[in-house]
Amino acid sequence: DEIQQQIQRSATHFIERDYTFERRRSIVSSPSGWDIDVWRTLAEMGLLAMNVPERCGGVEMHAHGTRTVMECFGRGLVVEPYLTSAVVATRAVTLLTPCTSGDELLSRLGCGDAISVLCHYEPRSRFDLDVIEMKAQPDGSGYRLEGVKCTGNGTGAADGFLVSARLGAGIALFHVERSIEDVRVNDRPAYDG
């Protein structure tokens, strides 16, 4: 429809004008492997808010808008963590029962103030979604998580992680800030940089 065509024109124009292969090459060879200025530009364009509900300041375009953006980003080989944060992590939070902390996180994700990565897979899970060994225990006013998760692209840029863990007889999803003292992240460059 017309909105998707506008998104496509805008994203294509950004790739052609601002995300040339020369710029991508310099981004990939930088110490972080991604560019915060590009991330801010994506936020200003409203592309980070594609999967964010309207109540949280998003545009709620979901699959159709995401597909349009991803096609454009594929042509430009965009390395910023768009898929992992603006699509997967954001969508995971939208599937939860709405709450104040979830809506605040969605607002931050949509405007580019937060980058989160979904951490569900574990070393011994062999990609079986039902195998979750990480445990959550009540601890004061919060929870203490114990275990190891395997993540993918975007982990180096993330300032928070959406971590699945066993809580009693069920499974819960926790937002864990990277800055927490006991959180350890082992970054490794991917084959493509």
Side-chain angles (χ1 to χ4, degrees), residues 137-160:
Q137 297 293 330
D139 185 14
S141 62
Y143 294 88
R144 179 168 186 77
L145 304 179
E146 293 183 13
V148 176
K149 292 290 184 176
C150 300
T151 59
N153 293 338
T155 305
D159 51 28

Side-chain angles (χ1 to χ4, degrees), residues 88-89 116-122 132 134 148-152 155 158 160-165 172-174:
V88 175
S116 289
V117 174
L118 179 64
C119 301
H120 183 69
Y121 297 117
E122 298 182 357
I132 299 175
M134 180 167 270
V148 176
K149 292 290 184 176
C150 300
T151 59
T155 305
F161 307 99
L162 295 173
V163 180
S164 58
L173 192 63
F174 298 87

Side-chain angles (χ1 to χ4, degrees), residues 82-142:
Y82 184 82
L83 177 63
T84 53
S85 184
V87 179
V88 175
T90 300
R91 202 61 195 116
V93 177
T94 64
L95 295 174
L96 301 173
T97 302
C99 65
T100 304
S101 60
D103 285 356
E104 288 172 4
L105 178 58
L106 286 169
S107 294
R108 292 179 55 223
L109 289 167
C111 70
D113 288 344
I115 299 173
S116 289
V117 174
L118 179 64
C119 301
H120 183 69
Y121 297 117
E122 298 182 357
R124 298 192 324 184
S125 71
R126 297 188 173 281
F127 299 100
D128 182 342
L129 297 178
D130 295 325
V131 176
I132 299 175
E133 294 178 350
M134 180 167 270
K135 300 216 182 325
Q137 297 293 330
D139 185 14
S141 62

Side-chain angles (χ1 to χ4, degrees), residues 7-8 49 162:
I7 292 167
Q8 184 177 33
L162 295 173

